[in-house]
Amino acid sequence: FEYVSTIYALMEKGNTSLSYFAPWAPVPAHINRDKARRQLMGVIQKVMDRRRKEGRQEPDVLQDLMDKTYPDGSPVTTEEITGMLASLLLMGHHSTAVTASWTGLLLLQNKDKVLPELLEDIRSRGPADSELLKATVSEAARKQPPLTFFMRQVEEDILFKEYTIPKGETILVSPTLAGRCPAAFKDPEVYEPRRFMPPRSEHSSCPSAWLPFGCGANRCVGEHLAYLQIQMIWGYLVDRFELELVGELPETLHHGFVAEPKVPCRIRYCVRSAGSK
């Protein structure tokens, strides 16, 4: 586990802002990332070989990929399986963990504004069904979206206002700037989770301005799972502990693939007494 964890950390650090534009640039982060990827591929190959030798089937994603074939009957290669598993780990873990961190940090920075009502809602409806808790996650994702920007390739000429965007060009979209658009979100610099709840539902009036999970055909397939994970984490913590942010809200680091809070992020906590609010 420790070996794989080290490999994963090197791969994660190898995804920088530069990687968007020059993924093969010979910089230390990329060199270490590619070496770690080859090591991970070796680990996965050993697991696959052992399963095949023993004739063993496991109910997991790796087994599902091992059993898949292309229309021509050719199997999915180890390199392809490694890439898909690495994507699941990086995008399914890091971005969710960062959004969970921002959810708690922003909530505790504004605890007097939201926390009393949130605690009541969690206890009456449960964290998974708490609309205010979900809105709290949404507001954190609006103010601190996990990804710095999205890239899309233009497949045909597009006329946008007085501009023509030609086929073959690459468009960069910033979820951070979109989430602060005053035409879509009233007082965008203000922390207000209720903007995502009826009757306001500001994100519904301009869906393209709220982009932490992307949009369109390529919207993140793990969106609902991310919400469930984050709501369960903070639902448990808010219900059982008195929480307080220590110091100022951390600054945002944009040097990597995910815009994360600068460590240390300190929270003071103590166990709630029975029946406390």
Side-chain angles (χ1 to χ4, degrees):
F1 176 80
E2 185 176 347
Y3 178 63
V4 174
S5 178
T6 301
I7 292 173
Y8 173 74
L10 288 172
M11 293 179 64
E12 198 171 47
K13 291 177 181 177
N15 287 297
T16 68
S17 297
L18 175 64
S19 306
Y20 280 102
F21 308 100
W24 309 118
V27 297
H30 289 172
I31 294 171
N32 291 332
R33 175 203 65 195
D34 295 342
K35 179 181 178 181
R37 191 180 190 280
R38 291 191 294 271
Q39 291 172 323
L40 179 61
M41 190 161 61
V43 171
I44 293 173
Q45 185 66 63
K46 288 180 180 178
V47 174
M48 292 168 58
D49 290 343
R50 186 164 58 248
R51 288 188 184 184
R52 286 167 178 156
K53 182 179 179 180
E54 298 173 357
R56 181 160 47 90
Q57 295 278 323
E58 297 288 348
D60 55 27
V61 175
L62 175 59
Q63 189 67 54
D64 191 48
L65 294 173
M66 288 172 60
D67 295 340
K68 288 290 187 291
T69 58
Y70 287 102
D72 63 0
S74 59
V76 182
T77 67
T78 304
E79 184 174 5
E80 291 169 329
I81 290 175
T82 301
M84 286 185 273
L85 291 179
S87 296
L88 285 173
L89 285 170
L90 290 169
M91 298 311 299
H93 164 258
H94 196 175
S95 56
T96 301
V98 166
T99 301
S101 297
W102 283 121
T103 297
L105 291 168
L106 289 166
L107 170 63
L108 297 182
Q109 186 191 41
N110 300 271
K111 62 184 297 184
D112 293 339
K113 186 176 185 179
V114 180
L115 198 53
E117 183 183 346
L118 178 61
L119 180 58
E120 182 178 342
D121 195 43
I122 289 172
R123 288 179 170 175
S124 63
R125 306 178 65 175
D129 295 320
S130 169
E131 289 299 319
L132 183 54
L133 182 53
K134 182 178 181 180
T136 301
V137 179
S138 298
E139 180 69 343
R142 180 190 71 84
K143 290 182 69 67
Q144 296 287 354
L147 298 185
T148 306
F149 52 80
F150 295 105
M151 299 174 69
R152 295 290 186 267
Q153 188 172 41
V154 180
E155 296 185 348
E156 58 183 39
D157 292 353
I158 299 173
L159 180 63
F160 178 72
K161 296 183 178 180
E162 68 271 27
Y163 303 99
T164 297
I165 305 173
K167 177 182 178 180
E169 290 294 325
T170 300
I171 296 176
L172 274 69
V173 179
S174 169
T176 304
L177 292 177
R180 285 168 166 75
C181 177
F185 299 104
K186 181 180 178 181
D187 300 323
E189 296 304 322
V190 176
Y191 177 80
E192 179 49 85
R194 297 174 186 84
R195 71 172 76 245
F196 287 92
M197 300 172 65
R200 293 175 63 172
S201 301
E202 295 176 8
H203 61 302
S204 298
S205 62
C206 189
S208 60
W210 190 71
L211 299 171
F213 295 96
C215 66
N218 294 309
R219 191 179 181 92
C220 176
V221 297
E223 177 179 353
H224 297 296
L225 177 60
Y227 268 108
L228 179 61
Q229 289 176 315
I230 299 171
Q231 287 177 236
M232 295 306 295
I233 289 169
W234 282 106
Y236 179 90
L237 293 175
V238 166
D239 183 40
R240 289 163 175 76
F241 297 94
E242 295 278 1
L243 303 166
E244 180 183 355
L245 179 65
V246 178
E248 299 295 322
L249 191 73
E251 64 179 277
T252 308
L253 298 179
H254 290 283
H255 60 75
F257 187 70
V258 176
E260 59 192 36
K262 183 178 180 180
V263 296
C265 305
R266 293 193 173 95
I267 292 175
R268 183 180 294 114
Y269 67 94
C270 65
V271 178
R272 288 185 182 275
S273 59
S276 65
K277 296 182 179 181

